[in-house]
Amino acid sequence: MRDKLGFKDMFFVLKKRCALIILITMTAAASTAAVNYFLLTPVYQASVQILINGRQTSNFTDIQTNLELINTYNVIMKSPVILNKVKDDLNLQETTEELKKKITVASENESQIVSISATDKDYSKAAAIANTVASVFQRDIQDIMNDKAEISIVAKAVPYDSPAPVSPNKMFNMAVFTMFGLLLGAGLAFLLELLNSTVKNEEDIENGLELPILGNVLYTKPKKGQAVRLVNGVIGKDQSF
């Protein structure tokens, strides 16, 4: 048996094992669809935008100071001093660390607009968390920082929206695992072919037994209406039909 396959051989292997490849690919696609649609719980995200008005100036140094201050605010929003009050206001069962993992705070393109996002299996709860973080920060930041920056809520999360879940990404997961199933099926087909020790042609005999080929016996399949019979030890065709 040859230990490597040429391009033409690869084509015939894929054709020969086509049913196996299709079966594995369809199994991977169906399994992924079942897991994504019936087992995984969707996770939703709600976002709030706030505007932080620092010192109004055109001086470059002061502008940089304002941006650095906003970065400090972003850290404070996820700190226990804010999240503990959010837990109390909403009567949440999560610990402070669990709540922190659900919240993302980011500046919009280095501007004074800050986006506060919260994720949860219940969209209404995610919206409540995001809105409460923004309101608690707006209410308490002056006492925490002894700073007179103005905090304005630009856009609140609407609790009764029906957005699409951010996780799981069903179509992406199905595409990835379907492709994985296709590659797995093709790889298994080639592996089975390489492990197949049956003799297929003259080249396999020469490579396996290291003997020259002196000749071969052709076999012709009988046509329809003909039968092969043995006459005096010689195979012949019965023409009586």
Side-chain angles (χ1 to χ4, degrees):
M1 186 193 70
R2 291 169 292 178
D3 57 356
K4 58 182 179 179
L5 300 174
F7 179 78
K8 187 176 181 180
D9 297 319
M10 293 172 62
F11 173 78
F12 283 111
V13 169
L14 293 176
K15 183 178 179 181
K16 177 182 177 182
R17 307 284 183 177
C18 180
L20 173 65
I21 296 173
I22 293 175
L23 177 62
I24 294 178
T25 302
M26 293 182 63
T27 301
S31 300
T32 306
V35 170
N36 279 270
Y37 282 93
F38 300 106
L39 297 181
L40 295 182
T41 303
V43 176
Y44 298 90
Q45 183 180 68
S47 299
V48 178
Q49 287 185 326
I50 63 174
L51 173 64
I52 300 177
N53 292 316
R55 184 184 302 174
Q56 302 297 321
T57 179
S58 59
N59 184 278
F60 179 77
T61 302
D62 290 338
I63 293 175
Q64 287 297 112
T65 301
N66 285 341
L67 293 177
E68 292 175 0
L69 188 60
I70 290 174
N71 291 332
T72 302
Y73 288 160
N74 292 351
V75 175
I76 292 175
M77 289 181 208
K78 297 181 66 176
S79 66
V81 70
I82 297 294
L83 298 185
N84 285 334
K85 294 180 180 180
V86 172
K87 284 180 53 182
D88 293 339
D89 289 352
L90 297 177
N91 295 319
L92 299 178
Q93 301 298 319
E94 292 92 334
T95 64
T96 303
E97 282 301 316
E98 290 173 341
L99 183 58
K100 182 179 179 180
K101 292 178 181 178
K102 292 185 175 184
I103 299 172
T104 303
V105 180
S107 300
E108 300 286 346
N109 298 322
E110 299 296 329
S111 68
Q112 293 177 273
I113 297 292
V114 175
S115 177
I116 305 171
S117 301
T119 57
D120 195 84
K121 297 176 182 179
D122 182 356
Y123 175 76
S124 297
K125 182 178 178 180
I129 292 173
N131 287 332
T132 306
V133 169
S135 61
V136 169
F137 176 75
Q138 181 185 38
R139 182 188 66 202
D140 296 346
I141 187 59
Q142 292 187 6
D143 295 333
I144 297 171
M145 291 284 294
N146 194 23
D147 186 75
K148 295 184 179 181
E150 297 180 3
I151 310 298
S152 303
I153 298 179
V154 178
K156 285 188 174 183
V158 181
Y160 302 105
D161 276 355
S162 299
V166 295
S167 175
N169 190 333
K170 299 176 182 178
M171 297 306 297
F172 176 78
N173 291 344
M174 289 181 62
V176 170
F177 279 91
T178 299
M179 183 60 65
F180 174 77
L182 180 62
L183 296 176
L184 178 63
L188 183 59
F190 289 125
L191 179 62
L192 292 174
E193 189 68 18
L194 291 174
L195 294 178
N196 187 0
S197 60
T198 58
V199 176
K200 305 178 184 63
N201 49 42
E202 296 88 345
E203 185 180 348
D204 289 343
I205 297 175
E206 290 180 339
N207 295 335
L209 301 178
E210 298 181 355
L211 296 174
I213 301 298
L214 300 179
N216 54 33
V217 178
L218 297 178
Y219 169 74
T220 302
K221 185 177 181 181
K223 297 180 180 179
K224 185 177 181 180
Q226 294 179 329
V228 177
R229 59 190 179 88
L230 184 63
V231 179
N232 296 327
V234 180
I235 296 179
K237 295 181 179 178
D238 190 349
Q239 304 293 339
S240 62
F241 291 93

